[in-house]
Amino acid sequence: MTDKIYSQLKQQLKNSYSPYSKFKTAAAIETDKGLFFGNNIENASYSATVCAERAAIFNAQVHGSKKFKKLYLISSSKKDDVIPCAVCLQVMSEFFDPNAPVIVYSFVGKKTTYKFSDLLPVSFSKKELDNAKK
């Protein structure tokens, strides 16, 4: 299945809206409701940009996904390991188990697998919000 996902991700890069950075990304989320894709969507106001990982997560959530199993990611970068940014990792912490695989493909197909908790060992969570209410 992962070879198929690599091909699908590479196709999805064409949907990236990245006129400013020219840095295209595509992500897929494997969930209890199937596979959901997203790509980065830039904005002239860089802070309004949405990464592919978050676009895929939001797409899956909007379609009723409750269990998020894996994240797949590819970029147009020539560097092999392009991992999710800190903002995406924080959003992922809301939906992904610490042991969930994060599978990153280079543009030419080299695959690297991480455990989510290795990429974000500590996150801001509901616990901090609950503690503030006490």
Side-chain angles (χ1 to χ4, degrees):
M1 180 175 186
T2 56
D3 288 341
K4 181 180 178 186
I5 289 179
Y6 167 72
S7 297
Q8 290 173 307
L9 286 171
K10 205 156 179 187
Q11 269 303 113
Q12 187 69 24
L13 281 175
K14 295 176 184 173
N15 294 330
S16 168
Y17 180 75
S18 47
Y20 307 103
S21 73
K22 309 291 189 243
F23 187 84
K24 298 174 183 288
T25 59
I29 305 290
E30 188 177 314
T31 76
D32 58 323
K33 300 276 187 183
L35 200 58
F36 294 90
F37 289 90
N39 53 270
N40 60 322
I41 306 164
E42 291 182 349
N43 188 280
S45 168
Y46 278 112
S47 64
T49 293
V50 175
C51 298
E53 300 91 310
R54 285 180 283 146
I57 289 168
F58 300 157
N59 185 16
Q61 199 282 324
V62 162
H63 285 91
S65 296
K66 301 291 185 216
K67 183 164 173 50
F68 291 66
K69 301 174 184 178
K70 292 180 188 174
L71 175 110
Y72 300 91
L73 180 63
I74 193 171
S75 80
S76 60
S77 173
K78 302 300 182 226
K79 183 177 181 260
D80 285 341
D81 288 325
V82 178
I83 63 170
C85 74
V87 173
C88 288
L89 290 170
Q90 177 61 43
V91 171
M92 289 172 67
S93 74
E94 200 67 29
F95 299 99
F96 283 83
D97 179 270
N99 293 315
V102 176
I103 300 160
V104 178
Y105 292 99
S106 72
F107 188 74
V108 295
K110 180 181 177 236
K111 180 173 121 177
T112 306
T113 302
Y114 298 94
K115 189 166 72 168
F116 174 65
S117 63
D118 290 338
L119 297 175
L120 185 68
V122 180
S123 67
F124 185 85
S125 70
K126 183 181 180 311
K127 181 178 75 175
E128 284 77 24
L129 295 174
D130 289 344
N131 287 338
K133 295 176 187 173
K134 293 178 183 177

